[in-house]
Amino acid sequence: MKPQIPARTQDQAKALIADLQQAAESWTPQRTLTWAFDTFGSRVAISSAFGAEGMVLIDMAARARKDFRLFTIDTEFLFPETYNLMDRIEEKYGIAIEKVYSVLSPEEQERTHGTALWTRDPDLCCSLRKVEPLRRKLSELSAWITSIRRDQTTVRSSARRIEWDAKFGLVKINPIVDWTSKQVWRYIHDHDVPYNALHNQDYPSIGCTHCTRAVRPGEDPRAGRWPGFAKTECGLHIIEPATDSTIAAKAAKIGN
Ligand code: SF4
């Protein structure tokens, strides 16, 4: 589908967001997804690690458009339950998940950076296995759709439903940014949405096997991520300015 809004420059893209951003705050997730698909066509994709929130978005997207794009960053360190869920998603929704990998295999990473990098420098490990692959994938797109919620982490608390992503230089769409965990699970149960079996074993947030544990009663839902480190984000949603050249290159692609 051709994009309906021919925003071809950084300024046009930002103007598009500025015009809609306030109004979009009252949009439903379904309306937000429809707007994203109608506006960006095949140049928008859902990014998901298949947590509960991501499953809600995937189900909503499948009801809105049969051929939506869905990609995941496969660190090659995911749980068997997560790979199993990917298979179930492809079968239920009739889509092929676009899997994006680090340029370094786990073996090459070990040769280059030593054993168990995640125990010594998880930021570098996430940068190699998550952020760089994401940056490469987003360079193909004009907009990406995420399932972040404001109450998940401090970094995410100021996210808008639609916003300009200066870090990666494209439009970022967060349809359920104002939802609670309770709303997410209500949707999953009401619509019989598949979800990761680890959620039933006290894993509210699921990442790589090396950096995820079950949470104990009373702990923060994200306490099981990178236990022993102050780290709470893998870097995909941390806001930082992009270089002018990155923004210009990305903005030029919007509307193509
Ligand atoms: S979550 Fe852990 S294992 Fe996975 S990429 Fe980040 S540091 Fe590496």
Side-chain angles (χ1 to χ4, degrees):
M1 181 184 297
K2 293 289 271 182
Q4 300 301 302
I5 300 176
R8 295 185 182 281
T9 68
Q10 176 188 347
D11 287 344
Q12 284 175 312
K14 287 184 173 178
L16 163 66
I17 301 308
D19 282 348
L20 289 173
Q21 193 168 51
Q22 194 56 40
E25 287 301 310
S26 63
W27 291 356
T28 63
Q30 290 87 349
R31 181 176 176 190
T32 308
L33 283 169
T34 300
W35 172 81
F37 295 146
D38 288 350
T39 302
F40 298 105
S42 62
R43 294 189 62 85
V44 64
I46 295 176
S47 168
S48 183
F50 313 112
E53 289 81 3
M55 292 313 306
V56 166
L57 273 193
I58 292 165
D59 189 81
M60 286 178 176
R63 293 167 193 270
R65 181 180 169 126
K66 289 297 166 207
D67 59 347
F68 68 97
R69 291 182 64 184
L70 169 63
F71 75 87
T72 192
I73 308 299
D74 184 349
T75 62
E76 302 179 78
F77 294 142
L78 304 180
F79 285 90
E81 290 85 348
T82 305
Y83 290 113
N84 174 272
L85 179 58
M86 287 189 215
D87 293 340
R88 290 156 60 202
I89 290 166
E90 290 187 328
E91 185 176 343
K92 178 178 172 75
Y93 298 110
I95 56 168
I97 298 169
E98 300 170 36
K99 293 164 186 155
V100 191
Y101 299 92
S102 171
V103 293
L104 293 178
S105 69
E107 294 76 22
E108 288 168 333
Q109 178 171 306
E110 184 165 332
R111 279 199 294 276
T112 308
H113 298 282
T115 56
L117 179 61
W118 49 90
T119 64
R120 293 175 285 110
D121 192 344
D123 284 343
L124 176 58
C125 188
C126 277
S127 177
L128 293 168
R129 308 213 72 76
K130 292 186 175 183
V131 180
E132 185 283 326
L134 177 70
R135 190 179 296 281
R136 191 170 3 109
K137 186 65 179 177
L138 293 185
S139 71
E140 300 173 7
L141 302 172
S142 299
W144 64 312
I145 301 171
T146 90
S147 57
I148 61 170
R149 293 186 296 104
R150 289 190 186 117
D151 66 5
Q152 286 173 317
T153 68
T154 306
V155 166
R156 301 178 188 192
S157 63
S158 59
R160 305 293 297 270
R161 200 178 304 277
I162 59 173
E163 57 192 5
W164 178 254
D165 185 338
K167 178 174 182 176
F168 294 113
L170 77 172
V171 176
K172 186 175 184 181
I173 300 157
N174 308 309
I176 58 169
V177 71
D178 56 345
W179 274 34
T180 62
S181 177
K182 195 172 172 184
Q183 286 175 286
V184 167
W185 281 102
R186 187 183 307 135
Y187 183 97
I188 285 174
H189 293 309
D190 287 352
H191 297 83
D192 197 22
V193 177
Y195 62 87
N196 196 314
L198 289 173
H199 287 314
N200 292 337
Q201 299 169 43
D202 298 320
Y203 285 80
S205 178
I206 302 163
C208 296
T209 53
H210 302 307
C211 302
T212 309
R213 66 158 172 80
V215 301
R216 293 180 279 272
E219 280 190 319
D220 183 274
R222 287 183 71 86
R225 304 294 299 276
W226 302 283
F229 291 90
K231 183 177 171 68
T232 59
E233 292 272 355
C234 50
L236 309 186
H237 300 292
I238 291 175
I239 298 165
E240 66 183 43
T243 63
D244 288 347
S245 60
T246 303
I247 294 171
K250 285 298 308 182
K253 291 181 179 176
I254 292 178
N256 287 348

